[in-house]
PDB file of all heavy atoms in Angstrom:
ATOM      1  N   GLU I  28     -88.598-142.774 -31.245  1.00 67.00           N
ATOM      2  CA  GLU I  28     -87.547-143.458 -30.469  1.00 67.00           C
ATOM      3  C   GLU I  28     -88.041-143.712 -29.046  1.00 67.00           C
ATOM      4  O   GLU I  28     -88.888-143.053 -28.530  1.00 67.00           O
ATOM      5  CB  GLU I  28     -86.302-142.621 -30.446  1.00 67.00           C
ATOM      6  CG  GLU I  28     -86.469-141.256 -29.676  1.00 67.00           C
ATOM      7  CD  GLU I  28     -85.172-140.479 -29.614  1.00 67.00           C
ATOM      8  OE1 GLU I  28     -84.212-140.873 -30.216  1.00 67.00           O
ATOM      9  OE2 GLU I  28     -85.208-139.400 -28.986  1.00 67.00           O
ATOM     10  N   ASN I  33     -84.405-140.789 -18.113  1.00 63.00           N
ATOM     11  CA  ASN I  33     -83.500-140.949 -16.952  1.00 63.00           C
ATOM     12  C   ASN I  33     -82.064-140.990 -17.512  1.00 63.00           C
ATOM     13  O   ASN I  33     -81.809-141.452 -18.626  1.00 63.00           O
ATOM     14  CB  ASN I  33     -83.774-142.230 -16.183  1.00 63.00           C
ATOM     15  CG  ASN I  33     -85.148-142.211 -15.566  1.00 63.00           C
ATOM     16  OD1 ASN I  33     -85.498-141.311 -14.795  1.00 63.00           O
ATOM     17  ND2 ASN I  33     -85.966-143.207 -15.869  1.00 63.00           N
ATOM     18  N   ASN I 163     -46.778-138.657  15.613  1.00 96.00           N
ATOM     19  CA  ASN I 163     -47.355-140.019  15.911  1.00 96.00           C
ATOM     20  C   ASN I 163     -47.421-140.787  14.589  1.00 96.00           C
ATOM     21  O   ASN I 163     -48.469-140.853  13.952  1.00 96.00           O
ATOM     22  CB  ASN I 163     -48.748-139.850  16.518  1.00 96.00           C
ATOM     23  CG  ASN I 163     -48.795-138.850  17.660  1.00 96.00           C
ATOM     24  OD1 ASN I 163     -48.014-138.992  18.597  1.00 96.00           O
ATOM     25  ND2 ASN I 163     -49.656-137.866  17.597  1.00 96.00           N
ATOM     26  N   GLY I 171     -33.691-150.457   1.853  1.00 76.00           N
ATOM     27  CA  GLY I 171     -32.714-149.498   1.354  1.00 76.00           C
ATOM     28  C   GLY I 171     -33.097-148.127   1.878  1.00 76.00           C
ATOM     29  O   GLY I 171     -32.415-147.527   2.649  1.00 76.00           O
ATOM     30  N   GLY I 182     -40.036-124.667   9.850  1.00 68.00           N
ATOM     31  CA  GLY I 182     -38.670-124.408   9.382  1.00 68.00           C
ATOM     32  C   GLY I 182     -38.457-124.734   7.881  1.00 68.00           C
ATOM     33  O   GLY I 182     -37.714-124.009   7.237  1.00 68.00           O
ATOM     34  N   THR I 187     -41.974-133.215   2.541  1.00 92.00           N
ATOM     35  CA  THR I 187     -43.109-134.166   2.588  1.00 92.00           C
ATOM     36  C   THR I 187     -42.593-135.440   3.315  1.00 92.00           C
ATOM     37  O   THR I 187     -41.365-135.548   3.569  1.00 92.00           O
ATOM     38  CB  THR I 187     -43.592-134.594   1.187  1.00 92.00           C
ATOM     39  OG1 THR I 187     -42.513-135.174   0.480  1.00 92.00           O
ATOM     40  CG2 THR I 187     -44.129-133.357   0.466  1.00 92.00           C
ATOM     41  N   SER I 329     -48.515-152.599   2.441  1.00 88.00           N
ATOM     42  CA  SER I 329     -48.690-153.277   1.138  1.00 88.00           C
ATOM     43  C   SER I 329     -50.163-153.343   0.827  1.00 88.00           C
ATOM     44  O   SER I 329     -51.004-153.171   1.719  1.00 88.00           O
ATOM     45  CB  SER I 329     -48.109-154.715   1.257  1.00 88.00           C
ATOM     46  OG  SER I 329     -48.697-155.424   2.291  1.00 88.00           O
TER      47      SER I 329
END
Side-chain angles (χ1 to χ4, degrees):
E28 64 179 4
N33 296 304
N163 310 308
T187 60
S329 57

